[in-house]
Amino acid sequence: MRRIVVDTDTGIDDAHTLLYLAGRPDAEIVTVTSVYGNCTEEDAIRNIGHVTRLLGLEVPIARGAAEPLRGPAHIAGYVHGKDGLGDLGHDRSLPRVADEPAPELLVRLANEHPGELDLLALGPLTNLALALRQDPELFTKYRSVVLMGGSGPYAPPGTLLMIDANINNDPEAARAVFAAPRRELVMVGVNVTARTILDEHAIAALKASGTPVARFATEILDAYLDFYQNEWGRRIIPLHDPLAAGVLLDPSFATAWTDGPVNVRGDGFLYRARLMRTHDGLPPAFPYEPAPPTRVITAVDALRFVADFVEVLAR
């Protein structure tokens, strides 16, 4: 059983992740904290409330960062809809929230339950960086920290990668996270999530199941499908955040990984978190900052994970 603290910028795939975690018998959602990203923090907290009410899940909910450590927030309303859940007009009333903000809650839970909880970060890493300012040893007190973000090692020449949005939204916070001491830090990046596809057949299977959870999961997909059809010419989506949850619960979904230092680097346009290795395992051709080892996932059993995801939500 994994007892999980979820930090989320609750867009469509974040909502799917909460549904997936709630349906897994080996997972317990301990608390959920909000952060900006896929939508504003205000919408993220409302979406947490909406999804937890749908699930009948009563857990502490805490408000987190509304903007990055530096600069304005970049909100991906063009991907997830302005409200983060596809602009379908759901009644997303504010949930009851904890008195303490998300960073303080992350610190308190880690100190009250050392080695017992897993931290799953699905959005920009601002809340985690703010929590590290309060307790620099924070990650040593979580059983593991698993984040959806990063771009893996440097790709083969000529390879293009999907935007590394959670890192790009707050590169300063990401640098603090990858530099912090930890028990186990796992990076599930766009190098693997972009290839883990919920295709037409899987979407049809979800719709056919008719359960309230599956019905909600497919209802909110349209905005996401509208965006990704421009990427692939098909109405299919990558399971970014759900895959990170799957790797946390069942590490065998990852079929290859490398442990090594991760740096956050910009190219003048975008920031990415990269394992400081080329695709063939060599160091990059420039100096880089030393950092404690991060487990960087480089390959996954995408078919098996997608089948599990569909089965859990349809059940």
Side-chain angles (χ1 to χ4, degrees):
M1 172 65 71
R2 294 276 186 159
R3 302 179 63 217
I4 303 168
V5 176
V6 183
D7 185 67
T8 174
D9 58 338
T10 329
I12 292 167
D13 60 329
D14 305 71
H16 285 165
T17 305
L18 293 173
L19 301 178
Y20 175 70
L21 290 172
R24 286 278 303 232
D26 53 353
E28 176 191 351
I29 299 173
V30 173
T31 194
V32 187
T33 58
S34 65
V35 68
Y36 69 93
N38 292 330
C39 52
T40 65
E41 187 279 327
E42 175 76 13
D43 282 313
I45 199 82
R46 289 179 181 274
N47 294 345
I48 292 168
H50 184 69
V51 175
T52 53
R53 282 191 294 270
L54 173 70
L55 292 167
L57 187 65
E58 295 186 10
V59 297
I61 298 170
R63 301 195 74 146
E67 58 188 8
L69 298 180
R70 254 178 239 260
H74 176 78
I75 304 300
Y78 54 92
V79 180
H80 297 264
K82 185 177 178 183
D83 70 0
L85 290 181
D87 296 327
L88 299 178
H90 291 294
D91 178 17
R92 301 173 305 115
S93 56
L94 272 173
R96 181 196 227 165
V97 297
D99 293 333
E100 58 192 332
E104 291 182 11
L105 181 60
L106 296 180
V107 171
R108 179 172 62 79
L109 288 173
N111 282 285
E112 289 179 353
H113 307 280
E116 298 177 15
L117 304 177
D118 296 283
L119 176 55
L120 177 62
L122 303 177
L125 299 174
T126 314
N127 287 336
L128 277 64
L130 290 171
L132 284 166
R133 289 180 178 179
Q134 297 178 36
D135 184 353
E137 299 294 319
L138 178 68
F139 292 170
T140 68
K141 299 169 187 177
Y142 278 97
R143 179 176 176 179
S144 72
V145 180
V146 177
L147 60 93
M148 191 278 119
S151 297
Y154 283 89
T159 302
L160 295 177
L161 288 175
M162 194 171 288
I163 185 173
D164 192 352
N166 288 340
I167 304 303
N168 189 61
N169 275 345
D170 195 341
E172 184 176 336
R175 287 191 181 102
V177 165
F178 289 111
R182 75 287 305 265
R183 181 180 296 215
E184 181 180 59
L185 178 63
V186 181
M187 185 172 91
V188 184
V190 295
N191 56 305
V192 289
T193 64
R195 299 198 299 268
T196 303
I197 301 297
L198 192 72
D199 64 12
E200 297 91 343
H201 175 75
I203 293 170
L206 270 180
K207 287 181 177 178
S209 74
T211 67
V213 163
R215 187 161 54 248
F216 171 72
T218 53
E219 281 175 356
I220 63 176
L221 272 181
D222 274 347
Y224 218 29
L225 292 167
D226 289 346
F227 176 80
Y228 278 109
Q229 69 185 5
N230 295 316
E231 187 75 19
W232 294 307
R234 295 167 58 189
R235 291 183 67 77
I236 58 179
I237 62 162
L239 291 172
H240 293 298
D241 292 339
L243 180 63
V247 169
L248 190 163
L249 294 173
D250 183 355
S252 72
F253 283 131
T255 57
W257 59 86
T258 301
D259 294 335
V262 169
N263 280 192
V264 176
R265 298 183 63 90
D267 59 8
F269 298 96
L270 298 171
Y271 287 89
R272 293 184 181 275
R274 292 191 184 270
L275 175 70
M276 291 293 99
R277 297 290 182 270
T278 62
H279 73 282
D280 49 4
L282 298 174
F286 49 80
Y288 59 87
E289 293 294 323
T294 294
R295 174 150 293 186
V296 177
I297 306 304
T298 56
V300 296
D301 189 340
L303 292 177
R304 187 166 73 86
F305 172 71
V306 171
D308 183 65
F309 174 82
V310 171
E311 193 275 331
V312 169
L313 267 63
R315 183 176 62 223

